Amino acid sequence: MSVLPVSRGGADDGTAPGAAPAPRRASTRRRLFEAAVVLIAEQGFSATTVDEIADRAGVAKGTVYYNFASKNVLYEELLRDGMDLLSGSLRRAADATVAAGGSHVGALDAMIRAGLDFIAGSPALMQLYVAELWRTNRTWRATLTSVRGRALTVVESVLHDAVAAGELSAELDISLTASALLGMVLVAALDWQSFQPDRSVEDVHAALSRLLQGRVAGGP
């Protein structure tokens, strides 16, 4: 199977450096990501070989190296791609809520649901991401920090808007609250998928929504 032999765009495929890959190459990369994330989630990064990734994706081993310089680079790009997709999903959910006349707290709630939906569709990816948060000696640590920052920036922007609109206290620690909200969704979703799979996404969302809106203490 032939692919466009370009690593990150440029003269070889007619795209500028840093531009989105051509459709054919993008499709191949997606297949490799999907194969790698399942294998690595099942047996770990070190135990997973390039040959296994290629076999699971249905491509030749050389195709992996046409698209990624090494297994490390493939995994780094997999994490980057996955978190960028999650960030985009959160942003669209928040924007749609506000555009429809909803509150900024309502936008945060919509982001919780979007996060749960995303993780339900990509549980292995989120399992890997959460596991990597605890490892500080990986070569891709800087990339992980960067993509985590993108997701947090989306949440922080909505929190800033909620404070500016008077929906949340001006004393709110926005940075820590954004981390807490994102972490709540990630951990709750993985717990749901791993230990409570019989629960519906609506049920899990309702529980997290009550936490967000401070309705867990009872009373009026």
Side-chain angles (χ1 to χ4, degrees), residues 29 32 35 41 45 47 50 54 60 86 89 92 104 111 134 143 148 160 183 196 217:
R29 286 167 63 92
L32 291 170
F45 176 79
V50 171
L86 174 60
S89 178
R92 287 190 297 274
H104 298 295
M111 293 168 77
W134 298 98
T143 293
R148 172 182 174 274
H160 276 293
Q196 306 179 64

Side-chain angles (χ1 to χ4, degrees), residues 148 152 155-156 159-160 172-181:
R148 172 182 174 274
L152 287 175
V155 183
E156 288 172 357
L159 287 170
H160 276 293
L172 186 73
D173 186 324
I174 289 178
S175 176
L176 186 58
T177 301
S179 295
L181 287 172

Side-chain angles (χ1 to χ4, degrees), residues 198-218:
D198 55 315
R199 300 184 68 166
S200 68
V201 65
E202 289 79 14
D203 186 28
V204 178
H205 176 219
L208 298 188
S209 182
R210 282 190 287 272
L211 281 173
L212 171 67
Q213 299 180 38
R215 294 186 283 115
V216 295

Side-chain angles (χ1 to χ4, degrees), residues 146-191:
S146 174
V147 296
R148 172 182 174 274
R150 293 179 203 174
L152 287 175
T153 295
V154 175
V155 183
E156 288 172 357
S157 69
V158 179
L159 287 170
H160 276 293
D161 291 341
V163 170
E167 297 177 30
L168 295 175
S169 169
E171 297 179 355
L172 186 73
D173 186 324
I174 289 178
S175 176
L176 186 58
T177 301
S179 295
L181 287 172
L182 183 61
M184 175 182 74
V185 173
L186 291 174
V187 175
L190 289 178
D191 184 88

Side-chain angles (χ1 to χ4, degrees), residues 119-141:
I119 296 168
S122 307
L125 173 65
M126 289 300 105
Q127 176 186 335
L128 295 180
Y129 170 74
V130 171
E132 289 300 331
L133 291 178
W134 298 98
R135 301 185 175 108
T136 59
N137 60 343
R138 299 291 205 184
T139 59
W140 50 77
R141 183 68 184 181

